Amino acid sequence: GSSDTLFRLLRLFQFWHDMEVQARALEDPLGTAVLGRVWELRSAPHIFLMQAGFALVEAGTCRSKNVISILIKNIADLLVATVLWFILGFGFAFGDAAPTKGLIGTTHLLGTGLLHGTAVDDMLVTWLIQSTFCATAATIVSGGIAERTDMRGYVIVSGFMSSVVFSSVACWCWNPDGWLQKRGFLDLAGSAVVHVTGGFGALCGAWFVGPGAGR
């Protein structure tokens, strides 16, 4: 039941905490880093499944004739976000932002620096989990403009959110050179960078396209 699930989650967090404490006690920064990367790899599929959650929420709140369109747009959103995150988004978010005073990254564009033979390094793991965050922020917008945009318009909006809007906000808040990061801004599990950004994108989209016919 729910109590068993909660108990298992608590045990998992306790295990993670104990392992991190042991690594620090042994003065083993590499061990701590490895645990962090394992946690990110473990969390990335969970964040990815938010796509399915948003798709089900939107399908359940729109008219039955638009359900297939909503589901297709959520799949398209994931594909567009992932490709553009590799080409532009990751570089804008986590590239060297010092030349722009923390406004936007200038390196790692077109996937440069991500692949080193067959090795999986820290940067590639960061790209993976951040790509799921990017897709989540983009798909939030689809709920705000559901039933009121065609596929071509939505792909353009999704691409702009993924490659420019989310990437810029991520740079400001998560990049070590980001202007908000340097001023002490703290983001709790993507609550600002992912959900507030996506929410404002949905709000702007809903305002731009207006109410649906007959609403």
Side-chain angles (χ1 to χ4, degrees):
S2 59
S3 59
D4 292 338
T5 302
L6 179 60
F7 177 73
R8 290 173 184 172
L9 286 174
L10 291 175
R11 287 290 300 273
L12 177 62
F13 284 123
Q14 184 63 46
F15 171 77
W16 163 256
H17 175 73
D18 293 343
M19 291 293 290
E20 187 172 7
V21 169
Q22 292 177 20
R24 290 178 177 175
L26 294 173
E27 296 182 353
D28 182 15
L30 177 60
T32 303
V34 169
L35 286 174
R37 292 313 179 189
V38 170
W39 179 257
E40 289 183 339
L41 288 171
R42 180 71 175 84
S43 301
H46 293 172
I47 304 169
F48 173 80
L49 286 175
M50 292 178 69
Q51 292 282 337
F54 280 116
L56 293 176
V57 169
E58 294 165 20
T61 54
C62 72
R63 289 170 290 183
S64 59
K65 67 176 184 178
N66 293 317
V67 169
I68 294 178
S69 174
I70 289 292
L71 297 179
I72 292 175
K73 286 177 180 177
N74 275 269
I75 295 174
D77 171 83
L78 175 64
L79 297 175
V80 170
T82 302
V83 171
L84 289 180
W85 181 249
F86 181 82
I87 296 174
L88 295 174
F90 184 77
F92 287 162
F94 294 98
D96 183 11
T100 62
K101 297 182 179 180
L103 292 177
I104 197 166
T106 57
T107 58
H108 303 315
L109 300 175
L110 299 175
T112 55
L114 287 177
L115 303 177
H116 304 281
T118 59
V120 179
D121 61 5
D122 289 352
M123 188 177 297
L124 191 58
V125 175
T126 300
W127 179 89
L128 174 64
I129 191 169
Q130 293 296 337
S131 68
T132 61
F133 278 132
C134 176
T136 299
T139 201
I140 292 174
V141 180
S142 66
I145 58 178
E147 302 184 299
R148 286 166 288 168
T149 56
D150 61 13
M151 179 61 72
R152 291 172 296 180
Y154 179 72
V155 167
I156 293 173
V157 171
S158 177
F160 182 71
M161 280 291 300
S162 305
S163 60
V164 178
V165 178
F166 175 80
S167 303
S168 299
V169 177
C171 177
W172 302 343
C173 303
W174 287 342
N175 192 307
D177 294 319
W179 68 275
L180 283 177
Q181 174 71 238
K182 287 191 172 183
R183 286 164 175 77
F185 177 83
L186 296 176
D187 175 71
L188 178 61
S191 56
V193 178
V194 179
H195 296 284
V196 172
T197 302
F200 269 100
L203 178 63
C204 293
W207 172 80
F208 183 79
V209 300
R215 298 295 180 92

